[in-house]
């Protein structure tokens, strides 16, 4: 028996999983039913006392108003073992202080507050406090290099940045001339740094009043601006609104099955960084809206210490990602032996394809399978999921959430949509508009936004199929964006950084499969006359890209080419670079202008 056969024999088409310990919110094993409506779900939110809707009020203050202020909201575990626990009442006060500090600085509702830091308590306070103040929040990934930070701050017109002195010095100080609109910088931590508008968080925020009346936003007021990558051009700023909080509640309730009642109160841990959308929607908003304990771990991935967190904190619901799961699989189950993980009752995964092996491994290692779910920055919340009561078909993303209609389809050049009715036919994954957390635009790029929609359907850019029982299966991306360790990377952003180097004439960037990270970034580079390929130049280019882009985005390898395949209109054919790299069929080459096969 070869490896493949023995592996597939281990993977059942349908997973028999233990009966859920508590009755799931969505108890029907066949999945969501038709009785859900977004209008009715609204009753689970309170709205602002004077009318309107605000994410931070729903996540924090309304629990206090409802007498649940003493419950633990955020349980922070620092890198060095320090701990900080904030009840909902304490979080309400801390976020009010921050909102008052913004007001004192003259940062107005609608203006943009950016956060760039690791998973420190102040990040959570700043995000929620800025939302309370009616400001728009943009989280940036702290592993970004100066270039992605500058591009996003420029595009988003950042007015205030919350960061640490170390990150400020290393990544932002040198950019200030490019960012005249960035009037204030708040530094978190004991060290300090100098610069225009730079102040210390502790001096300003700690001194502010803990009482703040939430700004009267409504469901259509802009709340978050999340940058995401496309195939061409600069990153896209996906505009989200306060009304998205209804989807955060519904998905936390149904897809993550969060419970916060007398019988069961969940301790929930989302391992995603708030620099990416999962870490905001599900690392900050959804758990708090659902009233559970939100565990925040500052340290980066390390299997042994993650198991320690699961055991010591008695985590009951765990939301993580395929790259981390694959890293744990590599290490085996030895480190789990003897651990008491009896509190754990539901595990979910998102962000990249979850290998069927990983689902089954979860069952072997933790006694529970990982429940894959699917969504993207533009959808604002989980759209397709394996629910707690449902049988899992390993490899499938599950079924659409209550209130969400998905389909497989395509559109012609005029934008007429054809839906695929038959099962098991591949096409683009479509979602019927609208839903509460749907993006409301790409910042200042209306044409790019409108291109995502046709005849009432949102085109996700993902290819998928639906089986006869209504389970959705991910097939791949319809475009050239790269998913590495769960992070979406735009090839254009990487190519642009490479061609800034004096030796580089052209660059083409693709994702190549990697057993752990899903994909890693690979660049093909054609040099300018007078430069010769060499090991030293390759290292220099890798270093240049790392410095400009940061480790999370920079290529892991570079290959020199005399020329890169291009269309007649001069576009680099990444598709062809990828097909050749992977030994796949080259497809239609009718638009290929030049062809230097190597
Ligand atoms: P982002 O906007 O950064 O959250 O990335 C969204 C993209 O990640 C989707 O369009 C998919 O290509 C991919 N993705 C997210 N979840 C899954 C999943 N469960 N399976 C496969 N791909 C996924």
């Amino acid at each position: 028996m070869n490896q493949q056969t023995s592996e597939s024999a281990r993977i059942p088409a349908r997973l028999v999983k233990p009966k859920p310990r508590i009755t799931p919110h969505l108890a029907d094993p066949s999945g969501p039913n038709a009785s859900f409506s977004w209008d009715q779900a609204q009753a689970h939110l309170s709205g602002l006392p004077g009318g309107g809707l605000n994410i931070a009020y729903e996540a924090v203050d309304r629990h206090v108003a409802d007498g649940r202020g003493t419950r633990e909201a955020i349980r922070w575990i620092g890198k060095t073992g320090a701990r900080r626990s904030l009840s909902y009442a304490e979080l309400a006060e801390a976020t009010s202080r921050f909102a008052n500090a913004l007001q004192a600085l003259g940062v107005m509702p609608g203006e943009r507050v950016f956060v760039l830091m690791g998973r420190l308590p102040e990040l959570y306070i700043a995000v929620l406090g800025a939302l309370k103040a009616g400001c728009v929040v943009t989280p940036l990934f702290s592993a970004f290099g100066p270039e992605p930070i500058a591009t996003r701050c420029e595009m988003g017109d950042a007015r205030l940045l919350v960061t640490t002195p170390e990150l400020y010095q290393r990544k932002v100080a040198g950019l200030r001339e490019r960012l005249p609109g960035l009037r204030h910088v708040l530094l978190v931590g004991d060290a300090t740094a100098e610069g225009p508008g730079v102040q210390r968080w502790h001096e300003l925020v700690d001194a502010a009043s803990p009482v703040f009346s939430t700004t009267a936003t409504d469901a259509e007021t802009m709340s978050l601006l999340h940058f995401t990558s496309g195939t061409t051009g600069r990153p896209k700023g996906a505009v989200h609104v306060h009304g998205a909080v209804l989807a955060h509640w519904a998905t936390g309730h149904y897809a993550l099955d969060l419970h916060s009642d007398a019988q069961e109160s969940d301790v929930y841990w989302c391992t995603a960084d708030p620099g990416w959308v999962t870490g905001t929607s599900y690392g900050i908003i959804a758990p708090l809206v659902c009233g559970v304990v939100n565990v925040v771990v500052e340290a980066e991935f390390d299997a042994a210490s993650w198991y320690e967190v699961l055991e010591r904190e008695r985590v009951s619901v765990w939301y993580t990602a395929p790259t981390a799961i694959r890293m744990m699989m590599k290490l085996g189950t030895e480190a789990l032996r003897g651990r008491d993980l009896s509190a754990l009752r539901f595990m979910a995964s998102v962000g990249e394809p979850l290998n069927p092996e990983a689902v089954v491994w979860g069952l072997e290692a933790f006694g529970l399978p990982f429940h894959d779910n699917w969504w993207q920055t533009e959808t604002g919340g989980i759209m397709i999921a394996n629910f707690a009561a449902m049988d899992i078909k390993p490899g499938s993303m599950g079924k659409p959430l209550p209130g969400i209609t998905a389909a497989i389809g395509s559109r012609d050049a005029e934008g007429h949509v054809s839906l695929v009715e038959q099962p098991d036919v591949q096409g683009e994954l479509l979602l019927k508009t609208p839903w509460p957390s749907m993006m409301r635009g790409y910042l200042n790029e209306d044409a790019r936004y409108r291109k995502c929609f046709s005849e009432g359907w949102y085109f996700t850019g993902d290819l998928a199929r639906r089986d006869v029982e209504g389970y959705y299966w991910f097939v791949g991306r319809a475009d050239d964006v790269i998913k590495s360790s769960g992070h979406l990377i735009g090839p254009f952003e990487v190519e642009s950084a490479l061609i800034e180097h004096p030796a580089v004439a052209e660059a083409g960037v693709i994702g190549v499969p990697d057993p752990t990270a899903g994909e890693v970034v690979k660049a093909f580079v054609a040099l300018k006359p007078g430069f010769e390929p060499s090991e030293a130049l390759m290292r220099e280019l890798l270093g240049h890209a790392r410095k400009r882009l940061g480790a999370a985005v920079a290529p892991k390898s570079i290959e020199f080419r005399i020329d890169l395949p291009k269309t007649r209109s001069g576009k680099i054919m990444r598709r062809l670079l990828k097909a050749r790299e992977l030994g796949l069929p080259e497809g239609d080459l009718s638009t290929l202008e030049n062809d230097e096969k190597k």
Side-chain angles (χ1 to χ4, degrees):
M1 213 195 270
N2 66 26
Q3 180 65 20
Q4 224 177 355
T5 332
S6 74
E7 268 304 314
S8 49
R10 253 169 44 83
I11 313 289
R14 190 182 280 273
L15 201 68
V16 180
K17 57 181 191 183
K19 201 169 158 291
R21 198 171 68 211
I22 57 172
T23 308
H25 287 307
L26 201 68
D28 183 349
S30 62
N33 52 44
S35 67
F36 175 91
S37 88
W38 288 112
D39 278 348
Q40 281 168 7
Q42 201 80 42
H44 294 275
L45 303 179
S46 68
L48 285 171
L53 186 67
N54 183 285
I55 291 177
Y57 186 83
E58 298 299 328
V60 187
D61 296 68
R62 72 154 164 151
H63 297 300
V64 183
D66 292 347
R68 295 190 296 271
T70 55
R71 289 198 181 192
E72 189 175 15
I74 290 183
R75 185 184 298 172
W76 176 79
I77 299 151
K79 267 183 197 158
T80 54
R83 298 174 69 89
R84 185 169 169 198
S85 171
L86 287 159
S87 67
Y88 279 91
E90 287 165 337
L91 188 57
E93 288 197 358
T95 50
S96 288
R97 285 185 203 280
F98 185 75
N100 277 316
L102 290 179
Q103 258 191 3
L105 290 171
V107 180
M108 303 299 288
E111 291 195 307
R112 317 275 158 68
V113 171
F114 279 51
V115 288
L116 171 77
M117 62 174 126
R119 292 178 292 279
L120 294 169
E122 287 82 356
L123 183 155
Y124 296 77
I125 293 166
V127 168
L128 293 162
L131 291 172
K132 254 186 177 178
C135 293
V136 175
V137 179
T138 296
L140 294 174
F141 189 40
S142 57
F144 276 156
E147 196 49 48
I149 293 171
T151 308
R152 286 157 179 77
C153 287
E154 266 174 344
M155 288 179 70
D157 191 19
R159 188 71 64 246
L160 179 140
L161 173 72
V162 184
T163 187
T164 62
E166 189 266 334
L167 287 170
Y168 181 76
Q169 285 295 14
R170 211 152 48 84
K171 303 188 178 188
V172 185
L175 305 171
R176 290 303 298 273
E177 279 191 7
R178 265 173 81 177
L179 305 173
L182 181 62
R183 291 206 204 106
H184 311 281
V185 176
L186 286 189
L187 298 178
V188 173
D190 295 331
T192 192
E194 297 294 316
V198 172
Q199 298 194 53
R200 314 242 330 235
W201 167 288
H202 289 297
E203 282 158 20
L204 202 77
V205 181
D206 294 355
S209 158
V211 180
F212 183 85
S213 178
T214 303
T215 303
T217 50
D218 65 31
E220 289 305 313
T221 309
M222 190 169 164
S223 57
L224 285 134
L225 175 67
H226 276 295
F227 284 95
T228 184
S229 298
T231 308
T232 54
R234 301 206 295 177
K236 304 176 277 191
V239 171
H240 287 285
V241 292
H242 281 271
V245 70
L246 183 58
H248 296 140
W249 173 81
T251 50
H253 191 76
Y254 292 118
L256 300 175
D257 196 38
L258 295 175
H259 285 246
S260 160
D261 43 53
Q263 284 82 37
E264 186 82 23
S265 197
D266 279 312
V267 176
Y268 164 85
W269 180 26
C270 169
T271 61
D273 189 275
W276 303 91
V277 72
T278 302
T280 311
S281 290
Y282 295 97
I284 306 178
I285 301 168
L288 297 176
V289 172
C290 291
V292 302
V293 179
N294 189 28
V295 173
V296 175
V297 176
E298 186 192 4
E300 293 310 323
F301 174 82
D302 167 70
S305 49
W306 275 27
Y307 297 153
E308 172 78 29
V309 170
L310 291 172
E311 180 178 34
R312 192 188 54 227
E313 308 306 327
R314 302 210 41 83
V315 171
S316 54
V317 177
W318 185 30
Y319 194 22
T320 188
T323 295
I325 299 169
R326 288 189 290 262
M327 277 153 72
M328 290 185 270
M329 286 169 75
K330 258 204 222 158
L331 290 170
T333 52
E334 191 54 34
L336 275 165
R337 191 161 303 153
R339 289 212 179 267
D340 172 9
L341 300 184
S342 56
L344 202 55
R345 65 169 185 84
F346 189 74
M347 311 198 303
S349 162
V350 73
E352 356 152 24
L354 180 65
N355 325 49
E357 294 79 8
V359 178
V360 174
W361 180 79
L363 199 54
E364 287 166 6
F366 300 96
L368 300 166
F370 286 102
H371 294 74
D372 189 18
N373 60 53
W374 178 97
W375 63 291
Q376 53 181 200
T377 304
E378 287 85 344
T379 70
I382 301 169
M383 296 284 110
I384 295 179
N386 285 282
F387 302 95
M390 239 169 82
D391 282 353
I392 292 181
K393 296 186 183 183
S396 161
M397 312 188 287
K399 295 187 179 182
L401 260 286
I404 298 298
T405 305
I408 302 295
S410 61
R411 55 183 161 181
D412 62 20
E414 275 77 50
H416 297 309
V417 177
S418 315
L419 298 183
V420 176
E421 302 300 340
Q422 316 89 293
D424 296 318
V425 176
Q426 178 180 319
E428 190 163 346
L429 177 61
L430 316 185
L431 299 166
K432 194 157 189 56
T433 62
W435 63 93
S437 62
M438 187 179 92
M439 65 161 170
R440 299 299 200 269
Y442 285 132
L443 190 70
N444 304 329
E445 289 188 284
D446 199 40
R448 210 174 181 186
Y449 175 69
R450 272 188 281 114
K451 252 172 107 179
C452 302
F453 301 88
S454 286
E455 297 183 340
W457 292 92
Y458 166 65
F459 279 66
T460 66
D462 278 4
L463 301 174
R465 63 187 169 81
R466 182 187 59 234
D467 72 17
V468 70
E469 288 177 287
Y471 284 72
Y472 281 79
W473 299 74
F474 181 79
V475 174
R477 292 283 311 186
D479 57 19
D480 289 337
V481 293
I482 301 160
K483 251 287 151 118
S484 186
S485 299
H487 304 149
L488 207 61
I489 297 171
F492 182 80
E493 204 168 9
V494 182
E495 289 159 2
S496 305
L498 283 168
I499 57 177
E500 281 171 18
H501 189 280
V504 177
E506 286 174 341
V509 165
I510 62 167
V512 292
D514 178 84
T516 306
E519 286 187 303
V520 290
V521 179
K522 174 164 184 174
F524 295 86
V525 163
L527 295 173
K528 284 188 183 150
F531 291 91
E532 287 300 319
S534 71
E535 193 58 38
L537 182 55
M538 190 200 308
R539 274 201 302 275
E540 186 179 318
L541 292 181
L542 287 170
H544 160 85
R546 227 179 131 90
K547 211 166 131 216
R548 305 285 293 160
L549 299 166
V553 182
K556 298 283 176 287
S557 63
I558 291 179
E559 200 173 304
F560 292 113
R561 291 285 170 89
I562 296 169
D563 206 359
L564 297 180
K566 281 190 285 299
T567 61
R568 295 209 178 94
S569 57
K571 268 197 200 159
I572 291 170
M573 292 180 81
R574 302 185 189 110
R575 174 177 62 78
L576 186 56
L577 283 171
K578 187 157 181 166
R580 287 178 178 168
E581 174 73 13
L582 305 182
L584 299 173
E586 296 188 357
D588 177 11
L589 297 184
S590 55
T591 61
L592 181 62
E593 169 73 21
N594 56 332
D595 197 13
E596 177 261 316
K597 262 202 162 182
K598 236 182 151 169

